[in-house]
Amino acid sequence: MLAQTSSFKINGKILNEAQQTIANATVSLLNSENKEVTKTVSNANGLFELNFDVKGSYQLIIKHTGFAAYKATFELDNKDFGTIYLRASSQTLNEVVVQAKQNLIEVDANSITYNVSKSLTAQGGNALDALKNAPGIFIDNNNSIALNGKQGAMILLDGKQTYLSSKEIVDLLRSMPASGIKSIEIINSPTAKYDAAGSSGIINIKTLKSQIQGFNGTTTAGISYGAYLRQNQDLSFNYRNNKINVYGSYNHFFGYYSYLYGSDRIQNGKTYDSFTDDVDKRKKMGARLGVDYTIDYKNTLGILVNGNFIFGGGITDTKTDIGLPNSSNIDQTLNAINDYYHQNTERYNVNLNYKYEDTLGKIINIDADYGFYEKSAGNLQSNIYSTHNSVTKENYYRTLNGAKIYLKAIKADYTTNLWKGKLETGIKYSAIETNNNSRFFQVFNTNEVFDERRSNTFKFDENIASVYANYKKTFGKWVVQGGLRVENSASEGELAFKINGKDSLENIKRNYTNLFPSFSVSVKPSENHNFSFGYSRRIDRPAYNDLNPFVYLLDELSFWQGNPFLKPQLSHRFTLQYVFKSNTIIGLNFSHTNQYSASITDTVAKTSIVMIPRNLGTQQNISLSITQLYNPTKWWDITFNGTIYHIQNKISFDKYRNLNLKQFAGRLNIQQRFKMPYKITGEVLGFLNSKRLIGGNEIVKPTSQIDLGLQRNFMNNSATLRLAFTDIYKGNKFYSAQNFDDFRMKSYGYYETRQIKLNFTYKFADSKAKGPRVRNSALENENGRIK
């Protein structure tokens, strides 16, 4: 007879017959009725731990591909199984057939996981394409990533920050192949263990990890065509022998990308109708190399080196017709061409890691990081005014921009069992140094003249120190978690420029400390129902380059500019989630943001506009999301995600222009997967975005898209051929409007979303074993602010 009592624990370590640790073995605990009570997987050191609430008779079952199952029956309260050895299965690798099914979307109390590797239409594209298909995520044409209708999500790669933000984050995701991504984890209610950045939550992109011993890997080659023909390639490998594990990858995207956009505006009694043909000619490459060394069964050392490179030219051709409202006559036309004859971006990051983990639940994890980011660009721009095919004025400019960012960080995390719960605590210190040099020249027939008004050097140094504690405990069917993170930020910005030939210097210093509490509680009243509630306070610090006031010209009438006085925005975030049978997920989210910041379009003088980031006021966001998994038949799977949200922006452009904007919006996403004759798998994905409010005051019209995909496996499932057709009717075109006083503007754009993609993947392996560890870098938060 079973007696109710407090939580109990069993643990152990799993090895093979060659004394090698086995990672990712499935460890299940069954009660006397052969019902699964709980389960877990062994970690990189082969260690596992299970917790249960009731005394009695139990059976422990351990399974791993290529090994015979281990079974043991016991009747003790707490038990340390010590070392458990798995015997190799008598079957050869080619004879092992894994029938386990993984849903496209999976959920637990604190996160939703979108399994990219199960999506056909995402394969052959890049990580940005895959991210757009994840539930609740929307990426607009301004490269802003919104989660459940709110911007400000923190992006992680394998638990580490991307070290980039805004446009450069999108460029990085475009340089990563979707075929190398396992899943996208959406964390709506982060604990105090995570950096406090990310006012709308955390998006963690997990790459595929090999579980093969010896030398093995995967290679994918593909082509795609929209407006231009492109070629993609990626290769990943893993080699493990005894205590050494070496892994790495390489990928590239070669080919041009087309962006068409424009705007029609009325400003100071005149019309400006502008259209831009933008061709991005840059090549995108990425690589990583890592080594893990197992000192003994408790201690592991590792080093991981990452590099991303974007280089090549580009050109924008902008034509602006200037006239009067309600008139078809054109007073004059401005033709502007930006020749980006030089563009180069390099990003490096080195991570050193030490990890201690024992069977009693104690974990010590230390990370030391060094990151370097360098970007340079050279641009020659022409501005030619004409009237009735007669040139009236010509202006030529050259801009030379350079940016270097150095990032250093160290963090230490400690986890232990305490009072029959889990205590996590840690400290972190990071130092960031940025140097920007922007030079602007007016170009004449015989010489170039330095323009001191539009040139500067900008330095920004920031030190962030943080400490956190988080505690989690189970009370029967309830799980309670609470924590506090304290972060101190000290920064200094130095802007150097010339006025009338004389040097001038401006300094902006800041020092502030913030508390970031977090709390969550979940309850599972029965096997089919799970409720959870969470609260956290979050911060979004400005991207480093957003603080640089340098001017980037599209033409003489339109430009971008940074803002050195930009402040971080702070948010309170509440989440409520209900899960039924892991097939139905209902989430309710609310957030209130102070010092809300966004990039806005504003007027300059009488004829020009500027796109500039500003702190505008407050924003409130409330959203309701529903995710439903449905299997009408054995050959048909349906995944539905719908989000309805309401945004209220109480903002002020200046003391004369105050706005209180409210907007309901929604997004529907349906992904269907079919098993077809001749071992072909098909997929249909469609989404619809309603009219919505983005940024400060920009209203966007509805957009939609339908994607089709086919897949066929060959060669004992070692080879896969995929064909995908995305945005088949060009429904994902962008239209928006914004206005105030005597300024009205309509914008539009199309970013080559209609493509046909063909990809071939081949996997090779020697035998089964574990792959590289996943670890968190100390520079999780700082790199996400490079733009």
Side-chain angles (χ1 to χ4, degrees):
M1 182 174 180
L2 301 181
Q4 182 70 35
T5 184
S6 55
S7 179
F8 300 99
K9 180 185 69 176
I10 62 173
N11 52 269
K13 182 179 181 181
I14 306 172
L15 301 178
N16 62 17
E17 294 173 301
Q19 300 290 323
Q20 296 170 336
T21 57
I22 299 178
N24 294 316
T26 301
V27 184
S28 303
L29 187 67
L30 277 62
N31 61 18
S32 58
E33 298 176 354
N34 284 328
K35 291 184 178 180
E36 185 177 87
V37 176
T38 183
K39 71 176 180 179
T40 186
V41 295
S42 57
N43 65 16
N45 293 319
L47 302 174
F48 71 89
E49 178 182 308
L50 289 170
N51 293 281
F52 55 104
D53 302 321
V54 182
K55 290 184 178 180
S57 176
Y58 289 93
Q59 185 179 46
L60 181 72
I61 299 178
I62 302 177
K63 294 181 179 180
H64 193 282
T65 304
F67 294 91
Y70 171 88
K71 297 181 180 180
T73 301
F74 65 100
E75 297 183 358
L76 298 178
D77 297 348
N78 297 300
K79 184 172 179 60
D80 184 352
F81 276 85
T83 301
I84 297 173
Y85 293 94
L86 296 188
R87 297 180 179 274
S89 172
S90 59
Q91 294 176 305
T92 64
L93 179 63
N94 291 333
E95 294 171 337
V96 177
V97 179
V98 180
Q99 298 291 346
K101 180 180 178 180
Q102 186 182 47
N103 289 326
L104 184 67
I105 294 178
E106 297 177 330
V107 64
D108 62 26
N110 295 314
S111 65
I112 297 174
T113 299
Y114 172 67
N115 292 307
V116 177
S117 58
K118 296 300 177 182
S119 172
L120 304 187
T121 55
Q123 304 304 311
N126 53 49
L128 186 66
D129 298 326
L131 188 61
K132 290 178 179 178
N133 294 338
I137 296 177
F138 176 75
I139 304 173
D140 63 29
N141 288 344
N142 294 322
N143 299 325
S144 297
I145 300 174
L147 179 58
N148 295 321
K150 178 172 175 54
Q151 298 176 359
M154 181 170 68
I155 307 295
L156 304 179
L157 290 178
D158 286 328
K160 298 183 286 292
Q161 260 283 2
T162 58
Y163 301 108
L164 304 169
S165 68
S166 187
K167 183 178 182 299
E168 294 299 339
I169 259 191
V170 172
D171 282 339
L172 174 63
L173 295 178
R174 285 186 178 131
S175 71
M176 294 177 54
S179 57
I181 297 176
K182 176 184 178 183
S183 62
I184 296 173
E185 182 184 22
I186 300 168
I187 306 173
N188 283 306
S189 184
T191 68
K193 183 176 182 178
Y194 293 96
D195 283 271
S199 59
S200 65
I202 293 175
I203 300 172
N204 184 21
I205 300 174
K206 297 181 178 181
T207 58
L208 287 167
K209 299 293 188 293
S210 172
Q211 301 299 317
I212 310 298
Q213 183 169 326
F215 182 78
N216 56 87
T218 301
T219 181
T220 298
I223 57 174
S224 63
Y225 179 78
Y228 298 97
L229 184 66
R230 291 178 292 273
Q231 192 269 333
N232 60 279
Q233 181 76 49
D234 64 270
L235 169 68
S236 62
F237 71 90
N238 187 85
Y239 176 76
R240 178 172 178 82
N241 185 13
N242 296 325
K243 294 185 176 183
I244 296 291
N245 188 51
V246 182
Y247 58 97
S249 65
Y250 163 83
N251 69 83
H252 72 236
F253 288 85
F254 293 161
Y256 296 174
Y257 289 82
S258 171
Y259 309 101
L260 304 175
Y261 50 89
S263 64
D264 301 332
R265 72 179 190 270
I266 298 177
Q267 182 178 352
N268 198 35
K270 286 191 175 182
T271 61
Y272 299 83
D273 298 339
S274 173
F275 174 75
T276 300
D277 185 353
D278 187 341
V279 180
D280 184 355
K281 301 179 180 180
R282 294 175 298 170
K283 296 179 175 66
K284 303 171 180 66
M285 302 172 62
R288 70 172 181 166
L289 181 63
V291 179
D292 290 332
Y293 176 71
T294 302
I295 301 173
D296 53 39
Y297 75 96
K298 291 182 179 180
N299 299 275
T300 306
L301 289 174
I303 182 172
L304 176 62
V305 181
N306 283 291
N308 295 92
F309 314 93
I310 304 174
F311 55 93
I315 192 164
T316 68
D317 188 346
T318 303
K319 178 183 178 182
T320 303
D321 292 330
I322 305 172
L324 296 174
N326 303 318
S327 174
S328 59
N329 295 327
I330 299 174
D331 291 346
Q332 61 178 332
T333 299
L334 169 59
N335 285 284
I337 295 178
N338 283 290
D339 180 7
Y340 291 93
Y341 57 87
H342 168 72
Q343 294 181 107
N344 187 68
T345 300
E346 299 179 13
R347 168 184 168 263
Y348 304 91
N349 187 69
V350 180
N351 168 253
L352 298 176
N353 173 262
Y354 164 76
K355 187 174 184 179
Y356 168 88
E357 184 172 5
D358 62 20
T359 59
L360 301 177
K362 291 184 179 180
I363 302 173
I364 300 174
N365 195 86
I366 301 174
D367 281 283
D369 280 78
Y370 175 79
F372 175 69
Y373 172 89
E374 182 175 16
K375 182 177 182 178
S376 59
N379 174 39
L380 181 62
Q381 183 186 96
S382 62
N383 289 266
I384 301 174
Y385 295 85
S386 61
T387 303
H388 305 297
N389 297 321
S390 175
V391 175
T392 59
K393 185 172 65 172
E394 297 181 63
N395 294 320
Y396 296 88
Y397 307 104
R398 185 187 305 277
T399 57
L400 301 174
N401 303 319
K404 293 183 179 180
I405 302 179
Y406 303 88
L407 306 102
K408 304 172 185 177
I410 186 168
K411 75 182 181 85
D413 301 292
Y414 175 69
T415 302
T416 187
N417 294 322
L418 180 67
W419 302 321
K420 298 183 179 179
K422 178 186 288 186
L423 173 67
E424 296 174 303
T425 185
I427 58 174
K428 175 183 172 182
Y429 178 78
S430 63
I432 301 94
E433 176 187 345
T434 72
N435 294 278
N436 297 270
N437 186 2
S438 302
R439 291 169 290 166
F440 196 98
F441 300 86
Q442 289 183 291
V443 180
F444 300 97
N445 291 331
T446 58
N447 65 332
E448 297 183 359
V449 178
F450 181 72
D451 188 342
E452 63 181 28
R453 299 172 306 156
R454 296 173 174 171
S455 303
N456 67 52
T457 59
F458 179 72
K459 295 182 179 180
F460 181 80
D461 296 332
E462 183 179 55
N463 299 308
I464 302 176
S466 60
V467 59
Y468 78 89
N470 190 78
Y471 185 70
K472 179 180 180 181
K473 188 172 183 179
T474 300
F475 299 91
K477 298 179 179 180
W478 295 79
V479 178
V480 179
Q481 183 170 256
L484 177 66
R485 188 178 188 92
V486 182
E487 293 187 353
N488 173 262
S489 301
S491 65
E492 180 177 2
E494 182 181 279
L495 177 66
F497 55 98
K498 290 181 179 293
I499 298 179
N500 298 324
K502 296 183 179 180
D503 293 334
S504 183
L505 188 67
E506 290 184 3
N507 284 285
I508 301 174
K509 294 184 178 181
R510 290 197 179 106
N511 192 313
Y512 54 91
T513 300
N514 287 300
L515 303 179
F516 299 100
S518 63
F519 172 80
S520 68
V521 57
S522 64
V523 59
K524 194 171 184 179
S526 65
E527 183 178 354
N528 295 330
H529 302 275
N530 190 302
F531 298 87
S532 61
F533 169 80
Y535 162 78
S536 61
R537 187 171 187 249
R538 316 293 295 170
I539 188 172
D540 288 312
R541 297 181 177 90
Y544 302 125
N545 285 8
D546 276 346
L547 299 169
N548 185 358
F550 179 74
V551 173
Y552 297 85
L553 296 181
L554 178 63
D555 57 31
E556 286 186 330
L557 303 179
S558 307
F559 56 92
W560 295 268
Q561 186 175 12
N563 179 4
F565 301 100
L566 201 60
K567 299 177 182 178
Q569 60 180 14
L570 294 161
S571 299
H572 296 277
R573 180 171 176 79
F574 300 86
T575 63
L576 181 64
Q577 182 174 276
Y578 166 69
V579 180
F580 176 69
K581 289 185 176 180
S582 297
N583 291 325
T584 303
I585 309 160
I586 301 176
L588 181 65
N589 301 284
F590 173 80
S591 65
H592 178 87
T593 302
N594 295 311
Q595 297 179 175
Y596 171 65
S597 63
S599 182
I600 63 170
T601 301
D602 205 354
T603 57
V604 178
K606 295 182 178 180
T607 61
S608 302
I609 58 173
V610 60
M611 282 70 78
I612 184 171
R614 286 183 183 168
N615 294 106
L616 300 171
T618 64
Q619 182 186 77
Q620 285 189 357
N621 173 280
I622 185 168
S623 65
L624 176 66
S625 63
I626 300 176
T627 300
Q628 179 66 55
L629 310 180
Y630 182 54
N631 307 107
T633 68
K634 293 182 179 180
W635 52 268
W636 185 12
D637 296 337
I638 301 175
T639 301
F640 167 83
N641 175 259
T643 302
I644 300 174
Y645 60 92
H646 179 267
I647 288 180
Q648 180 177 12
N649 289 348
K650 291 183 178 181
I651 59 176
S652 176
F653 280 48
D654 51 44
K655 64 180 180 179
Y656 302 107
R657 295 176 294 172
N658 301 304
L659 303 174
N660 186 1
L661 304 176
K662 302 177 182 179
Q663 180 69 54
F664 275 101
R667 174 181 171 88
L668 300 177
N669 185 306
I670 300 178
Q671 193 160 358
Q672 302 181 71
R673 190 180 178 96
F674 307 90
K675 292 181 180 179
M676 304 169 66
Y678 305 105
K679 298 182 180 180
I680 295 175
T681 303
E683 184 175 274
V684 179
L685 183 146
F687 68 77
L688 171 66
N689 296 307
S690 73
K691 177 182 176 182
R692 58 198 181 276
L693 170 64
I694 65 172
N697 65 325
E698 192 171 1
I699 301 296
V700 182
K701 291 185 177 181
T703 56
S704 61
Q705 181 171 323
I706 291 180
D707 301 341
L708 304 176
L710 295 172
Q711 172 180 294
R712 177 69 157 82
N713 293 333
F714 303 91
M715 302 170 62
N716 253 357
N717 293 328
S718 295
T720 303
L721 186 66
R722 299 182 181 94
L723 177 67
F725 192 11
T726 63
D727 196 7
I728 58 177
Y729 60 87
K730 285 189 176 181
N732 199 9
K733 293 182 178 180
F734 176 83
Y735 298 93
S736 70
Q738 52 187 309
N739 62 82
F740 50 79
D741 296 339
D742 62 345
F743 175 78
R744 287 182 291 168
M745 180 173 173
K746 295 181 179 179
S747 302
Y748 56 91
Y750 171 68
Y751 287 2
E752 199 182 349
T753 50
R754 184 166 75 171
Q755 300 179 38
I756 186 168
K757 299 180 288 187
L758 180 65
N759 282 265
F760 176 78
T761 299
Y762 179 73
K763 299 178 181 179
F764 51 94
D766 292 337
S767 60
K768 294 289 180 182
K770 70 179 182 181
R773 295 182 296 146
V774 180
R775 57 180 184 265
N776 296 331
S777 150
L779 289 175
E780 288 179 346
N781 183 51
E782 290 71 21
N783 274 330
R785 295 165 59 202
I786 301 175
K787 183 179 180 182

